[in-house]
């Protein structure tokens, strides 16, 4: 079973409270989603392996650790996942960025892929799948399947707010994918919105509605 890692650092909690507030406008919302993503990147990369290299300080030679040849791919789920990319890139600037678009078919209610562009060497990369809201878990599970069908073997899912239903769905569909979260909320409402949540993350990021 995959791990659920709740990142409840005070800075993250504080910023999540502000983005939940309906009076927070798009500019501030975007800035805060970026900042929270940067803080989450710090934890998501915690298990990256290190190797010692030899360097020379102004005083002496020494061996000192650097990250050991990690290739990372960031994959936002369109469109709200885009809001998390720049914050992650601040800490992982060499990462390549792929994109996955899925929508829910109104009749079957099943997720349908409408866009997918991934780095060529996806099987060699540690992939970080980004979506601010883990609601039903349908889009995230579909995106994970798309990544796996493209050869990915190492995937982490990073979301800001999750409903218990979404966590359960992803854990069942992808027991090898750890889930990093900033908050776990109560439930979904009848429209599959997270309660209390923050509303529609895409609309709030891009000022649409
Ligand atoms: N997507 C959102 O943007 N918000 C929710 O609450 C659920 C899904």
């Amino acid at each position: 079973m995959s791990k659920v890692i709740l990142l409840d650092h005070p800075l993250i909690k504080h910023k999540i409270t502000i983005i939940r507030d309906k009076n927070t406008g798009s500019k501030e919302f975007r800035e805060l989603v970026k900042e929270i993503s940067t803080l989450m990147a710090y934890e998501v990369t915690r298990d990256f392996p290190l190797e010692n290299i030899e360097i020379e300080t102004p005083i002496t030679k020494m061996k000192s650790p650097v990250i050991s040849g990690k290739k990372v791919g960031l994959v936002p789920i369109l469109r709200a996942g885009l809001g998390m990319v720049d914050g992650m890139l601040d800490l992982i600037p060499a990462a390549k960025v792929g994109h996955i678009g899925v929508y829910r078919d109104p009749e079957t209610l099943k997720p349908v892929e409408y866009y997918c562009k991934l780095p060529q060497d996806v099987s060699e990369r540690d992939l970080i799948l980004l979506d601010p809201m883990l609601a039903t878990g349908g889009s995230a599970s579909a995106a994970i399947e798309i990544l796996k069908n493209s050869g990915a073997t190492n995937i982490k899912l990073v979301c800001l707010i999750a409903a218990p239903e979404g966590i359960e769905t992803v854990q069942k569909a992808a027991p090898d994918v750890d889930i990093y979260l900033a908050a776990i909320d109560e439930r979904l409402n009848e429209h599959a919105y997270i309660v209390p949540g923050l509303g529609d993350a895409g609309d709030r990021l891009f000022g649409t509605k």
Side-chain angles (χ1 to χ4, degrees):
M1 181 61 72
S2 67
K3 278 184 282 176
V4 174
I5 300 111
L6 182 62
L7 306 179
D8 55 358
H9 189 286
L11 283 172
I12 294 181
K13 284 185 156 178
H14 178 90
K15 291 172 195 290
I16 288 284
T17 298
I18 301 173
I19 61 170
R20 284 185 190 278
D21 190 330
K22 68 177 186 181
N23 296 313
T24 299
S26 285
K27 178 176 181 289
E28 198 182 356
F29 189 93
R30 262 196 304 274
E31 287 165 358
L32 287 163
V33 168
K34 179 175 184 240
E35 288 171 15
I36 296 164
S37 304
T38 304
L39 293 167
M40 294 185 84
Y42 182 78
E43 274 306 318
V44 172
T45 52
R46 183 175 282 286
D47 62 354
F48 278 16
L50 296 167
E51 64 181 320
N52 278 331
I53 60 164
E54 193 152 321
I55 56 162
E56 209 170 336
T57 76
I59 310 298
T60 184
K61 284 188 176 172
M62 73 173 291
K63 289 199 164 143
S64 191
V66 291
I67 288 173
S68 173
K70 267 283 172 202
K71 286 169 114 185
V72 177
L74 303 178
V75 184
I77 301 179
L78 302 176
R79 79 191 146 133
L82 292 173
M84 299 176 72
V85 173
D86 285 348
M88 288 267 158
L89 281 174
D90 278 352
L91 287 197
I92 321 169
K96 294 249 163 77
V97 183
H99 296 86
I100 290 179
V102 280
Y103 71 90
R104 193 163 18 159
D105 184 298
E107 272 160 32
T108 64
L109 300 182
K110 295 239 162 71
V112 181
E113 172 185 336
Y114 67 86
Y115 186 80
C116 179
K117 182 89 183 175
L118 299 172
Q120 252 180 357
D121 51 359
V122 85
S123 60
E124 295 162 33
R125 291 189 178 265
D126 280 9
L127 296 180
I128 302 176
L129 184 61
L130 304 171
D131 196 355
M133 308 302 276
L134 179 57
T136 62
S139 303
S141 301
I144 290 168
E145 198 181 324
I146 293 166
L147 292 177
K148 287 184 173 174
N149 289 340
S150 306
T153 55
N154 192 335
I155 305 168
K156 290 172 177 168
L157 173 64
V158 183
C159 307
L160 304 188
I161 301 179
E165 296 91 326
I167 297 173
E168 198 185 322
T169 299
V170 171
Q171 282 191 313
K172 272 199 193 130
D176 55 327
V177 174
D178 288 342
I179 307 172
Y180 291 77
L181 301 169
I184 300 174
D185 278 8
E186 281 165 30
R187 61 185 170 87
L188 295 177
N189 70 12
E190 60 280 18
H191 305 293
Y193 276 88
I194 297 176
V195 181
L198 50 69
D200 188 299
D203 282 345
R204 297 205 56 194
L205 275 167
F206 299 112
T208 48
K209 181 109 176 95

